[in-house]
Amino acid sequence: MQIISDFKKDTQTEKLNPGSYEWWYFDVMSKEGYSLVIIFYDGNPFSRRYIKKIESNTETNASDFPAISISLYKDGTPIFYSFEEVNPEGAEFSETKPFGQIGDNSFEGFQEFNELSYKVVLNQKLETGDLLHGSLIFKSLNADLSEIVSSNEVPNKSEHSWNLIMANCLVECNLNLEGSVCEKIVFNGRGYHDHNTGSEPMKDSFKEWYWGRYHIENSTLIYYLMMVNGEWKKKAWLINESGSVKKLDQKIDFSNHGFNLFGLVSARTFHFEGDGIDAFIQLDHVVDSGPFYQRFFGKVIINRGEKPELADGISEYIFPSRIYSRMFWPLVNMRIKYPGKSHWVQRNHTLYRLTW
């Protein structure tokens, strides 16, 4: 995996190979109990339409399959979920500046002196009539994160690339949820933004993938673990808001594996050591669980002084080869709305909520 931290490269990249993908990830958690995860895709790696094209060796382009996913939680329970793939004419990404648009949803990044900011606009409607609309502003210092950057000057062309833009940012949220649940969602929280790119199907780059971020006081713990060619690549850092980095990769262990209804097995406990710091993460709440992907809310305990520090955060797990198993595609179809087709599950509010 190539690791970079460069605002100027938070732009659309050229994706020549079938199976290429790219996504821009934003999240925020608040003391009021709200959590939100937003992902813009240029080349949706979970799309059965895209996979069919790849497997049939039909000429295809990643940008033919743009999508957006939005997950809104309150007290750990989803209250809005949407995953929509659109036709390419309904999407736009910039190769020269941080900008993306899917339907009526968009993000745009700005740099002014030593501050980065992003505006994320949401206007997403489900076939049930539920509507989430409004905006979020992400702001952070333009911290120098060169200490986390990988040493590969010329990365392997097939290598997965991770661009960490905002490890820790302040987020102003002003959203309205209308429909079966009506709420005005206004808060100030702490958030995160990164950008991932791959030039081949994920299953060809890695077998398993763990990622998580946990905000503690003025610092953020981030870990990224990948199984590549039968070997675990393990990275973890504690990054403060000025960009100072402490590496926690002297020892990284994960254990307490569990499985879900689809037979997906993943770890629930993580231990990190380095730079005189001990950190323990326990994934105590599953908020999204499928045949190849899981999202957790968890807790971290960090020992770096006299008093242990406790914080909440988000973790994810992917087993990408399972995406290509057709036995799971009916389940995927229940979650993703494809262009030009009415979403039969999404029209039934009670049934659709069961898929959340």
Side-chain angles (χ1 to χ4, degrees):
M1 178 176 68
Q2 182 197 23
I3 302 171
I4 62 174
S5 181
D6 190 340
F7 172 81
K8 295 179 180 178
K9 293 183 179 179
D10 197 22
T11 57
Q12 184 187 41
T13 61
E14 189 176 32
K15 294 176 287 297
L16 300 176
N17 302 326
S20 300
Y21 58 88
E22 189 164 18
W23 73 71
W24 290 260
Y25 171 100
F26 299 85
D27 76 39
V28 59
M29 300 183 79
S30 77
K31 293 181 180 179
E32 291 81 3
Y34 291 106
S35 303
L36 182 66
V37 177
I38 307 158
I39 309 175
F40 293 81
Y41 298 91
D42 185 29
N44 177 12
F46 307 112
S47 169
R48 62 164 174 78
R49 296 170 63 244
Y50 192 12
I51 292 170
K52 281 183 177 180
K53 289 282 189 179
I54 297 168
E55 292 185 332
S56 65
N57 293 317
T58 304
E59 184 176 345
T60 186
N61 188 295
S63 293
D64 291 338
F65 306 93
I68 182 171
S69 67
I70 303 171
S71 300
L72 174 63
Y73 308 94
K74 184 177 182 180
D75 298 326
T77 299
I79 58 174
F80 183 90
Y81 175 83
S82 175
F83 197 158
E84 182 178 11
E85 188 172 300
V86 304
N87 287 316
E89 56 267 25
E92 180 184 359
F93 294 93
S94 173
E95 296 180 350
T96 59
K97 64 178 183 179
F99 172 82
Q101 170 259 324
I102 302 284
D104 294 325
N105 310 280
S106 65
F107 72 87
E108 186 169 8
F110 307 89
Q111 183 175 17
E112 185 173 358
F113 301 109
N114 199 35
E115 183 177 88
L116 300 181
S117 65
Y118 281 75
K119 183 176 183 179
V120 178
V121 175
L122 299 180
N123 190 11
Q124 188 71 2
K125 189 173 185 178
L126 305 179
E127 291 194 53
T128 59
D130 289 4
L131 171 66
L132 181 66
H133 62 99
S135 63
L136 302 97
I137 303 296
F138 292 70
K139 290 184 179 181
S140 75
L141 295 176
N142 185 19
D144 178 9
L145 299 178
S146 58
E147 291 183 64
I148 75 161
V149 174
S150 53
S151 58
N152 309 21
E153 292 186 8
V154 183
N156 187 314
K157 289 185 178 180
S158 65
E159 196 170 24
H160 180 94
S161 175
W162 175 50
N163 190 356
L164 176 59
I165 306 297
M166 290 176 156
N168 180 9
C169 54
L170 298 178
V171 182
E172 300 172 11
C173 176
N174 192 335
L175 296 173
N176 286 283
L177 179 59
E178 302 173 9
S180 57
V181 177
C182 294
E183 294 193 26
K184 187 171 181 61
I185 303 168
V186 179
F187 64 79
N188 292 324
R190 292 176 70 184
Y192 170 96
H193 167 50
D194 70 17
H195 176 187
N196 285 260
T197 306
S199 60
E200 63 182 2
M202 283 194 290
K203 68 179 180 65
D204 296 336
S205 296
F206 56 89
K207 182 180 179 181
E208 296 179 74
W209 176 91
Y210 289 97
W211 167 89
R213 70 89 178 149
Y214 291 76
H215 296 311
I216 310 97
E217 294 297 329
N218 296 321
S219 301
T220 300
L221 187 154
I222 301 173
Y223 65 89
Y224 215 135
L225 316 178
M226 299 179 77
M227 168 69 84
V228 180
N229 297 324
E231 180 182 355
W232 279 104
K233 308 292 186 181
K234 303 177 183 179
K235 298 289 185 181
W237 310 267
L238 189 64
I239 305 171
N240 74 16
E241 60 184 11
S242 68
S244 174
V245 177
K246 293 185 180 296
K247 295 182 179 181
L248 303 184
D249 55 4
Q250 181 179 337
K251 180 181 180 182
I252 299 178
D253 296 320
F254 49 92
S255 58
N256 191 24
H257 289 72
F259 61 90
N260 66 7
L261 292 174
F262 311 103
L264 185 66
V265 180
S266 62
R268 304 292 197 274
T269 305
F270 297 81
H271 175 216
F272 308 93
E273 289 184 11
D275 232 334
I277 300 170
D278 271 351
F280 299 86
I281 290 176
Q282 177 65 49
L283 308 184
D284 53 6
H285 187 45
V286 183
V287 294
D288 196 341
S289 188
F292 47 78
Y293 170 82
Q294 289 179 296
R295 179 178 295 146
F296 301 87
F297 289 165
K299 295 186 182 298
V300 64
I301 298 176
I302 291 189
N303 295 295
R304 54 176 171 175
E306 295 182 0
K307 185 179 180 181
E309 299 167 82
L310 178 67
D312 298 320
I314 298 174
S315 291
E316 296 185 335
Y317 173 74
I318 297 178
F319 197 106
S321 65
R322 281 179 150 226
I323 300 170
Y324 286 73
S325 176
R326 290 177 180 250
M327 67 179 290
F328 296 128
W329 283 10
L331 299 173
V332 177
N333 293 341
M334 295 175 73
R335 301 290 298 275
I336 301 179
K337 182 182 185 301
Y338 293 103
K341 294 187 177 181
S342 180
H343 196 294
W344 65 275
V345 175
Q346 201 179 99
R347 290 199 305 270
N348 184 316
H349 186 268
T350 301
L351 181 58
Y352 186 51
R353 287 184 70 88
L354 292 175
T355 70
W356 297 0

